[in-house]
């Protein structure tokens, strides 16, 4: 008897859409525009998933004199990143793409540094989060402009309105806590 948890999906469960392909869409955007937006959005999704996980780790491992404030802040920022993540994935699917969803995809796609397994100081946690936000913002802004230039206003609006604004705000909050340490 095979162990379904380790042997993979049964042969009778074929993939209905390959990653990197596009399903038909009636959005009045060309396939070329949609594939570029899907690729950009998947990159931002991977970064967002990495940041979400950094916040949850920091939430679980917060300590010190600012424990309570940071514990709540990290949890709030985790929830905000989760909402951005969902919005990104839904836009990818709307454009006819396939959204990244698994941890190994994040590791392959995101350049955000992973935290060590051990517990870090508050200063290191905050610095790592601030670096992650800066990397994401550095990539998001040109991707938003490129989407606008291609006529993909929905993707541009999502990147600016959700990704950039959320990460700018969170970067500010983290930066203020880091300045206090």
């Amino acid at each position: 008897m095979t162990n379904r948890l380790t042997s993979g999906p049964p042969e009778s469960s074929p993939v209905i859409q390959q990653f990197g392909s596009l399903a038909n869409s009636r959005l009045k955007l060309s396939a070329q525009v949609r594939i570029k937006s899907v690729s950009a959005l998947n990159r931002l999704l991977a970064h967002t998933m990495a940041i979400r996980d950094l916040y949850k780790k920091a939430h679980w491992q917060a300590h010190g004199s600012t424990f309570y404030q940071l514990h709540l802040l990290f949890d709030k920022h985790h929830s905000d990143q989760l909402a951005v993540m969902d919005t990104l994935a839904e836009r990818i699917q709307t454009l006819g793409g396939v959204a990244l969803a698994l941890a190994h995809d994040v590791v392959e796609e995101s350049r955000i540094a992973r935290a060590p397994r051990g517990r870090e100081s508050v200063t290191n946690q905050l610095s790592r989060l601030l670096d992650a936000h800066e990397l994401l913002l550095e990539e998001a802004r040109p991707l938003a402009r490129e989407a606008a230039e291609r006529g993909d206003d929905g993707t541009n609006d999502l990147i600016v309105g959700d990704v950039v604004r959320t990460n700018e705000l969170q970067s500010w909050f983290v930066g203020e806590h880091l300045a206090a340490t």
Side-chain angles (χ1 to χ4, degrees):
M1 182 169 168
T2 15
N3 181 347
R4 292 217 25 172
L5 295 177
T6 58
S7 66
E11 294 299 320
S12 63
S13 297
V15 172
I16 61 169
Q17 183 181 351
Q18 293 296 323
F19 184 81
S21 68
L22 286 178
N24 289 332
S25 158
R26 296 185 64 173
L27 302 176
K28 292 296 186 185
L29 291 170
S30 71
Q32 182 181 8
V33 166
R34 292 185 297 121
I35 199 74
K36 286 182 179 181
S37 289
V38 165
S39 177
L41 292 168
N42 264 320
R43 168 63 65 89
L44 294 176
L45 177 58
H47 292 332
T48 302
M49 292 168 79
I51 291 173
R52 172 209 58 191
D53 292 347
L54 287 176
Y55 272 115
K56 188 49 83 174
K57 182 180 189 323
H59 167 78
W60 287 332
Q61 297 179 355
H63 61 282
S65 61
T66 57
F67 164 79
Y68 187 70
Q69 296 90 337
L70 287 175
H71 188 72
L72 295 177
L73 178 75
F74 293 154
D75 200 40
K76 166 82 168 79
H77 284 196
H78 172 270
S79 295
D80 293 346
Q81 290 294 331
L82 192 58
V84 171
M85 200 176 87
D86 195 53
T87 302
L88 285 165
E90 288 174 352
R91 179 68 183 169
I92 291 163
Q93 298 296 133
T94 299
L95 291 168
V98 176
L100 294 174
L102 301 173
H104 66 84
D105 295 326
V106 174
V107 171
E108 290 175 14
E109 187 68 28
S110 180
R111 295 184 305 122
I112 290 176
R114 291 190 291 176
R117 284 187 172 181
R119 195 172 189 191
E120 292 184 286
S121 71
V122 169
T123 302
N124 285 355
Q125 287 176 322
L126 293 169
S127 294
R128 183 179 308 286
L129 287 163
L130 195 56
D131 290 346
H133 285 296
E134 287 178 338
L135 185 145
L136 187 144
L137 288 165
E138 181 180 37
E139 288 195 17
R141 290 185 184 108
L143 293 175
R145 285 189 293 276
E146 291 168 14
E149 290 166 5
R150 289 191 301 271
D152 187 351
D153 298 324
T155 296
N156 169 271
D157 180 63
L158 184 153
I159 294 172
V160 172
D162 290 47
V163 176
V164 170
R165 288 196 180 120
T166 297
N167 283 278
E168 284 178 343
L169 184 65
Q170 289 185 352
S171 181
W172 174 53
F173 271 75
V174 169
E176 288 299 311
H177 276 277
L178 189 56
T181 62

